[in-house]
Amino acid sequence: MKWIKKLFGKQESSHEKNASIEIGFDELPAWLEESSQKISSEIKGDVSGLFKELEAAISELRESNDNLLEAKVEGNFDIRAVKRAKSNRENVTKQVGVFIDKLGIPENTDFKSLKAFHESAMQSLNTCLEHMNRSFRYTRPVFPQESKDVTDSLGRLGKVLNELRETIQGHRREMESIEEASKGIKEVRETCSLIKAEEGELKAKNRKLQALKDEIASNSRTLEELKQGKAWQKLQRLQEESTLAEGRLKKAEAGLNSLILPFSGNLSRIKKLHESGKYTLKPEVKKQLDICLENPVNLEPSFFPELQKVFEDHALDIQAQKKEKALAQVRSAASGFEEKKKEYTEARKAFDSRKSELASSDTGELASLEHKVAELLSRTLLLEEETESSEKKLAALRDDLKTREEKLQASVAAIDSGVKIGFPS
């Protein structure tokens, strides 16, 4: 069975080309089809004779197998050897029969069909040899000539399959290159479509981005014109005056609070005594005391004489020394209160006046423009990021296209080294 182990040779392709030509990318499928048909025609011519030899080898193998099955024992053999030989003969002829049944010659002689047929035939042959090899050791001594005929027939059939393999191998590189090229054409077309779509999206984004920038420039000019106008200047002046008025108001309020702060602790003490029933305040005095603790700016000057009376009252449960100190603080507050409150009232009036003027100022158009410009800038930033992402994606697709074109050119060169593809720019 050593013949089945022979190495398969590799014959030179009959399609070596030397002339240098350029084929347009769109013309490439037709060129590949023409090359495929030409190679198929050559293959058909090469295998027609081999198939006749194969049919003859199959017929011969069938006859040899039948002869082995019907062979008579000649000579003197141990009965056990004969019995063992006949039993193993059945296995040999059975395996050969199965092999012959599987070996149907294909009607189609295209490359794929031939390749599939050869692979299937070789697999069936190897399986047959593997399953019958051991049995042959027992069959050959008893049926030497018939066993030799089967072996020779298998050898001749195997030789034809080897020749078929060499024919297939001779065209394999070109046919596989044609398949790769066909696949490459599809990949290049798909990548070109993706590039075209991405270029369209990028152009649309750039147009939209330019429109946004133009709109921002237009609104910014209008905004600048408004800021140079009298309304804006008046608004700026009112804002400055309002800020100053607010500062004076806070200062005046702090001045009023500073009068009350020194004895505010005693006021809280009096309030607790009143609420616990240990000391009783007149309703009006209680109301003013609460105002004094919570919001001194609304306090009436008449509260201070009443408060002096409270501190002078012996029923008030506060140490005498603290009362005297509190009385002095109340008298001091009473002497400066009206002036401080006047300052506060004037500051409040000035602040409210500026605030009212600011509220009545027509800044709607200005605020609307500022808001619109801010929104446009935000949209522009997002669109710039999207555009940058599209540019990166487009660059990656172009690199991918270049790689696929080079791969396709290599496949075509394997078919005909003189052919160059004219890719669209």
Side-chain angles (χ1 to χ4, degrees):
M1 308 306 168
K2 291 182 179 180
W3 56 269
I4 199 62
K5 304 296 183 180
K6 290 180 180 179
L7 294 175
F8 295 144
K10 194 171 185 182
Q11 67 183 43
E12 292 296 322
S13 171
S14 60
H15 291 272
E16 294 298 328
K17 312 291 193 303
N18 294 314
S20 179
I21 60 171
E22 181 173 306
I23 297 177
F25 177 73
D26 292 335
E27 300 171 337
L28 194 56
W31 181 83
L32 288 176
E33 178 61 26
E34 182 182 350
S35 297
S36 177
Q37 289 178 359
K38 187 174 182 180
I39 295 171
S40 295
S41 178
E42 291 182 2
I43 291 174
K44 184 176 181 180
D46 291 341
V47 301
S48 60
L50 288 176
F51 277 178
K52 290 179 181 179
E53 292 181 27
L54 185 63
E55 289 176 349
I58 292 172
S59 178
E60 180 185 321
L61 177 61
R62 183 179 288 109
E63 184 179 351
S64 298
N65 198 46
D66 290 342
N67 290 338
L68 175 61
L69 182 63
E70 296 170 1
K72 305 296 182 179
V73 178
E74 297 179 2
N76 296 319
F77 296 97
D78 183 85
I79 190 170
R80 289 174 296 180
V82 172
K83 185 177 181 181
R84 192 162 49 240
K86 288 182 177 180
S87 174
N88 283 278
R89 178 178 63 177
E90 290 181 6
N91 179 56
V92 170
T93 54
K94 178 182 177 182
Q95 295 300 328
V96 172
V98 170
F99 169 59
I100 292 172
D101 291 341
K102 288 183 178 180
L103 201 62
I105 297 177
E107 295 180 2
N108 294 325
T109 57
D110 61 274
F111 182 79
K112 285 185 178 179
S113 298
L114 287 175
K115 183 182 175 185
F117 165 73
H118 179 266
E119 290 175 352
S120 176
M122 292 304 297
Q123 183 179 2
S124 297
L125 178 57
N126 287 329
T127 300
C128 173
L129 293 171
E130 181 181 348
H131 290 168
M132 64 180 273
N133 194 35
R134 185 177 179 182
S135 296
F136 239 53
R137 289 188 300 172
Y138 300 104
T139 305
R140 191 180 293 111
V142 177
F143 308 104
Q145 186 59 47
E146 292 82 1
S147 295
K148 182 178 181 298
D149 291 343
V150 169
T151 300
D152 291 344
S153 296
L154 284 170
R156 279 187 284 275
L157 194 150
K159 182 180 178 182
V160 176
L161 289 178
N162 276 344
E163 291 175 359
L164 177 61
R165 178 185 183 279
E166 290 175 359
T167 299
I168 293 171
Q169 288 293 95
H171 298 283
R172 181 171 186 170
R173 180 175 64 89
E174 291 171 309
M175 293 303 294
E176 288 180 349
S177 295
I178 288 174
E179 291 181 7
E180 283 297 315
S182 298
K183 181 181 176 183
I185 290 172
K186 182 180 179 182
E187 291 175 347
V188 168
R189 283 175 174 169
E190 288 175 350
T191 307
C192 285
S193 296
L194 291 173
I195 288 174
K196 186 176 180 180
E198 195 62 37
E199 286 176 340
E201 288 187 20
L202 184 58
K203 287 180 180 178
K205 287 175 182 177
N206 281 325
R207 286 195 297 268
K208 190 174 180 181
L209 186 60
Q210 187 58 51
L212 282 173
K213 289 180 178 179
D214 292 342
E215 191 174 358
I216 289 171
S218 176
N219 282 279
S220 295
R221 285 193 297 270
T222 304
L223 186 60
E224 188 61 30
E225 289 171 1
L226 284 174
K227 288 183 177 181
Q228 296 299 326
K230 293 181 179 179
W232 171 257
Q233 293 175 1
K234 181 182 178 182
L235 177 64
Q236 293 293 98
R237 177 177 56 79
L238 285 173
Q239 287 177 337
E240 292 174 0
E241 291 177 356
S242 177
T243 301
L244 291 173
E246 185 179 13
R248 287 196 296 270
L249 178 60
K250 289 180 178 179
K251 184 178 179 180
E253 186 175 1
L256 271 175
N257 290 334
S258 67
L259 294 176
I260 307 301
L261 187 61
F263 55 87
S264 60
N266 288 316
L267 292 180
S268 298
R269 171 68 176 166
I270 294 171
K271 182 178 180 180
K272 289 180 181 179
L273 290 172
H274 173 80
E275 290 174 350
S276 65
K278 295 179 180 180
Y279 186 80
T280 304
L281 293 170
K282 294 177 183 180
E284 182 60 29
V285 175
K286 173 61 170 59
K287 180 180 179 181
Q288 288 294 310
L289 184 142
D290 289 337
I291 292 173
C292 187
L293 287 172
E294 296 171 6
N295 195 10
V297 297
N298 294 325
L299 189 64
E300 296 294 332
S302 59
F303 173 65
F304 291 102
E306 293 295 330
L307 185 57
Q308 290 182 47
K309 293 177 182 179
V310 172
F311 278 115
E312 292 170 350
D313 190 352
H314 295 292
L316 181 63
D317 186 16
I318 295 179
Q319 293 179 3
Q321 186 178 358
K322 289 184 177 182
K323 284 183 179 183
E324 288 299 323
K325 185 177 179 180
L327 276 170
Q329 291 169 341
V330 171
R331 292 188 188 102
S332 175
S335 64
F337 183 77
E338 290 190 17
E339 182 180 352
K340 294 289 185 182
K341 185 166 183 177
K342 182 180 179 182
E343 290 177 5
Y344 173 81
T345 302
E346 290 176 353
R348 166 60 71 180
K349 184 177 180 181
F351 175 72
D352 289 343
S353 175
R354 296 295 178 274
K355 189 176 180 180
S356 177
E357 286 186 74
L358 273 173
S360 63
S361 297
D362 185 14
T363 59
E365 184 180 2
L366 184 67
S368 176
L369 276 173
E370 288 179 331
H371 177 74
K372 187 173 183 179
V373 169
E375 182 184 0
L376 288 171
L377 286 171
S378 178
R379 287 167 56 191
T380 299
L381 180 62
L382 289 174
L383 191 55
E384 284 176 339
E385 292 176 353
E386 291 179 12
T387 301
E388 184 179 354
S389 177
S390 288
E391 289 173 346
K392 290 180 180 179
K393 183 178 179 181
L394 189 56
L397 283 171
R398 286 171 176 161
D399 288 343
D400 186 43
L401 176 61
K402 184 178 180 181
T403 301
R404 293 186 185 280
E405 287 177 344
E406 291 173 351
K407 183 180 178 182
L408 177 56
Q409 179 61 68
S411 296
V412 169
I415 304 167
D416 187 335
S417 60
V419 173
K420 303 297 180 185
I421 305 172
F423 292 104
S425 55

